[in-house]
Amino acid sequence: MTAVFDPLRLSAVSLDVMAVNRGPVQGVVQRQQERLAQLLDATLKGSRLYRRLLASSTTVATPLRDLPVVSRAQLMERFDDWVTDPRLSLDALRAFTADPSRIAQPWQGRYMVWESSGTSGQPGIFVQDAQAMAVYDALEALRRCAPRPLARWLDPLSLAERIAFVGATSGHFASYVSVQRLRALNPWLAGNTRSFSIQVPTPELVAALNDFAPTVLATYPTAAALLADEAGSGALRIAPREVWTGGETLSPTVRAHIEQGLDCPVRNSYGASEFFTMGWECAHGHMHLNADWVILEPVDEHQRPVPPGQPSCSVLLTNLANTVQPLIRYDLGDQVTLQAGPCGCGSPLPVIRVQGRQDDALHMAGRGGRPVTLLPMALSTVLEDDAGVFDFYLRQQDDHTLVLRLPAAGEAGQAAMDRCCTALKAFAKAQGVPRLRVLPELGLPVPRGRSGKARRIVACTA
């Protein structure tokens, strides 16, 4: 398998990233302006959809604030007109991502492809060429862990570490695709980096991690908290030097629980399918946005800008690295607060606070009354991959009953509900919950916040 990789581009971007790290804020702003102009030039030349959306007077010098806001549904509906490479076809890419045997294989030998989860009710497919992947690689290597920048430069792919990724491995998801791509790029990583599915029973996952003995654990906060519990009980016997978290909200309480249970620091990150690595925490514990390559505009419910220090309703993303699938003022849906003033670490990059996913882990009654934890990322993966349902609301009623709400009605809604119930019960049984009840609610709206994103999995409050 030929990996999508451009070593010259990676070297150039890496040198630039290091220069930004040591430079002034003005250097970040200048790079934003230059890269935005390049993005607009490529978009105006290659994207039929954007040429229709943008005013005829739009040029590479048009201020970002004067451009229209776009949504995922709007772009996915016209995918073939959206992308700048006419060889990219949504139907062909959907067939590609429907095949799990092709995970992390390059599309047409030149694109990495991943699919998003459906937290907004609309799944997406995203393609990255070698130029975009070089940006993500450089940002991950040189900004992932601030205390040892020289070590990261000398060991950009973490060859000295044993990295365990614990996540969703059943589909073409960005994190899993990226891990598998790195393993294909370097044979050493194939032995020192492994992926572990969050959908396997917890004892099986614990045994596999004990056997691998990772020095770095990369996973979601809810999964890390579960593994901290397993370490506290003596079942999990690993000694990681760091835990990398992302994909969900990491509260101070959960962070403290993970650090105490696994006896190591937690480094939190912020990323999305739309831009893989938007930010990492510095040594001061602040999340720095990679603003030299991505622009985030915090906005209110009317898509008006909000000032620093005020939480947004949503955030508009502009990806400065990807000219094949342009994302300009894209409504990401996350709640972000831009912090005023510089960070004490000395970085010129802005500090942000992110309110990400807040789905709950569900604590159910297993065989013999033994408690079993069903992780939210695993549950959503089961419903999306196995049942093909992306817009849902799953609420725990008690320790053996879930209430599943789908907005669809009629025969189609009932068929979707049947698939969901079958998938949930099979998953729960494999996890050690043999008598799961699923109560259906059809034709009812999924509760959403002002941003339009749903809190999809809610634990019992009793």
Side-chain angles (χ1 to χ4, degrees):
M1 178 178 70
T2 302
V4 176
F5 181 62
D6 184 341
L8 295 178
R9 169 73 166 173
L10 175 60
S11 297
V13 174
S14 297
L15 290 171
D16 186 76
V17 167
M18 294 179 68
V20 169
N21 290 348
R22 298 191 299 267
V25 174
Q26 290 78 6
V28 176
V29 175
Q30 179 182 351
R31 286 169 171 83
Q32 277 190 353
Q33 294 172 344
E34 293 173 352
R35 288 163 185 166
L36 178 59
Q38 294 169 1
L39 173 64
L40 285 172
D41 181 60
T43 301
L44 290 168
K45 290 177 180 176
S47 174
R48 295 188 297 270
L49 175 58
Y50 265 105
R51 282 201 297 269
R52 293 182 182 181
L53 294 174
L54 300 176
S56 59
S57 59
T58 301
T59 70
V60 296
T62 300
L64 188 60
R65 64 178 179 275
D66 294 341
L67 304 179
V69 175
V70 297
S71 67
R72 177 185 292 185
Q74 182 182 14
L75 297 177
M76 288 300 299
E77 184 180 2
R78 299 284 305 279
F79 184 93
D80 292 2
D81 291 331
W82 168 24
V83 294
T84 61
D85 185 346
R87 291 171 293 187
L88 292 167
S89 160
L90 181 58
D91 289 342
L93 288 168
R94 286 206 187 282
F96 177 81
T97 56
D99 185 353
S101 70
R102 303 186 71 181
I103 291 174
Q105 291 184 7
W107 170 253
Q108 298 183 342
R110 58 187 296 135
Y111 293 115
M112 298 309 299
V113 182
W114 52 65
E115 55 186 333
S116 72
S117 61
T119 53
S120 61
Q122 172 71 37
I125 290 180
F126 298 92
V127 296
Q128 328 288 328
D129 63 6
Q131 290 203 341
M133 292 307 302
V135 173
Y136 301 151
D137 288 343
L139 294 175
E140 282 285 282
L142 298 171
R143 290 183 181 158
R144 179 193 307 129
C145 191
R148 296 186 295 158
L150 180 59
R152 292 303 181 193
W153 171 248
L154 296 174
D155 184 20
L157 297 180
S158 300
L159 302 182
E161 305 283 10
R162 292 175 62 81
I163 303 173
F165 167 68
V166 179
T169 62
S170 59
H172 296 246
F173 304 120
S175 295
Y176 184 48
V177 168
S178 298
V179 169
Q180 296 300 94
R181 169 181 170 269
L182 289 178
R183 295 179 79 238
L185 277 173
N186 194 300
W188 182 271
L189 279 176
N192 281 24
T193 300
R194 294 187 191 174
S195 298
F196 301 84
S197 173
I198 57 171
Q199 293 179 247
V200 302
T202 300
E204 182 179 331
L205 173 61
V206 167
L209 288 172
N210 284 338
D211 182 63
F212 183 58
T215 61
V216 173
L217 181 65
T219 188
Y220 316 113
T222 51
L226 170 65
L227 294 174
D229 290 337
E230 294 297 313
S233 71
L236 182 65
R237 300 179 299 277
I238 63 175
R241 289 196 286 267
E242 285 184 346
V243 174
W244 300 341
T245 58
E248 299 170 335
T249 296
L250 177 65
S251 69
T253 301
V254 172
R255 180 195 291 272
H257 176 70
I258 297 169
E259 291 185 338
Q260 180 178 2
L262 294 173
D263 193 27
C264 67
V266 171
R267 299 281 178 190
N268 198 32
S269 65
Y270 177 41
S273 299
E274 291 80 357
F275 193 99
F276 182 63
T277 176
M278 285 191 277
W280 276 91
E281 289 180 342
C282 69
H284 290 227
H286 295 149
M287 182 73 69
H288 285 271
L289 176 69
N290 290 322
D292 45 344
W293 284 103
V294 62
I295 299 174
L296 293 186
E297 302 173 74
V299 294
D300 64 15
E301 60 267 32
H302 302 294
Q303 296 178 337
R304 299 173 301 198
V306 299
Q310 178 178 321
S312 71
C313 173
S314 185
V315 67
L316 309 180
L317 176 147
T318 299
N319 183 330
L320 302 174
N322 190 341
T323 59
V324 175
Q325 191 177 15
L327 289 167
I328 303 172
R329 305 202 82 201
Y330 169 94
D331 191 346
L332 188 61
D334 290 342
Q335 293 181 322
V336 171
T337 304
L338 181 64
Q339 181 173 303
C343 177
C345 73
S347 171
L349 300 171
V351 173
I352 58 173
R353 293 195 303 274
V354 182
Q355 191 73 29
R357 290 190 189 196
Q358 290 187 302
D359 290 335
D360 297 330
L362 307 184
H363 303 288
M364 312 297 293
R367 295 182 180 90
R370 181 179 61 86
V372 173
T373 299
L374 304 183
L375 295 174
M377 196 66 74
L379 288 164
S380 60
T381 301
V382 165
L383 290 171
E384 291 172 3
D385 278 13
D386 297 349
V389 171
F390 296 88
D391 203 12
F392 61 86
Y393 179 64
L394 188 65
R395 175 175 55 85
Q396 181 183 15
Q397 180 168 290
D398 55 41
D399 61 4
H400 59 276
T401 307
L402 303 178
V403 179
L404 177 63
R405 177 181 297 187
L406 302 181
E411 292 184 5
Q414 187 59 56
M417 180 63 73
D418 291 343
R419 295 196 305 272
C420 289
C421 291
T422 299
L424 285 172
K425 290 178 180 179
F427 171 68
K429 184 176 181 181
Q431 294 291 318
V433 183
R435 292 187 299 277
L436 179 72
R437 289 197 306 161
V438 181
L439 304 181
E441 291 184 347
L442 278 175
L444 296 176
V446 171
R448 299 187 185 277
R450 291 188 304 163
S451 68
K453 283 199 173 184
R455 185 182 179 201
R456 302 194 297 174
I457 301 172
V458 179
C460 180
T461 57

